[in-house]
Amino acid sequence: EYAGTSRSKWPVDPHGEAWDAYFWVDDADALYLEFKSKGVAIARDICDQPYGCRDFDVEDCNGYRLCFGHKTT
């Protein structure tokens, strides 16, 4: 699938679940609903995390995993 490409996260996360970027937003729930309504492929549904954030992941058209979230504490 990604033959001939190099992605720095792959050696440390062979399952492809590590983020390539984290975006801080004011309201992750609203953005999640907007993305879903526009057909964006959600890689991980929104949820509260033990590190004090509420976030979700998408995978962009180039295979990068992007996380969007806000602090819950």
Side-chain angles (χ1 to χ4, degrees), residues 19-38:
W19 308 314
D20 290 294
Y22 193 103
F23 296 92
W24 295 101
V25 297
D26 291 330
D27 188 346
D29 291 282
L31 185 61
Y32 175 81
L33 292 174
E34 179 182 345
F35 280 6
K36 284 202 62 127
S37 74
K38 293 182 177 181

Side-chain angles (χ1 to χ4, degrees), residues 54-72:
R54 182 164 175 78
D55 54 33
F56 67 96
D57 297 355
V58 301
E59 189 167 304
D60 76 4
C61 62
N62 294 308
Y64 290 99
R65 185 169 285 243
L66 310 175
C67 187
F68 297 86
H70 65 254
K71 289 187 177 189
T72 57

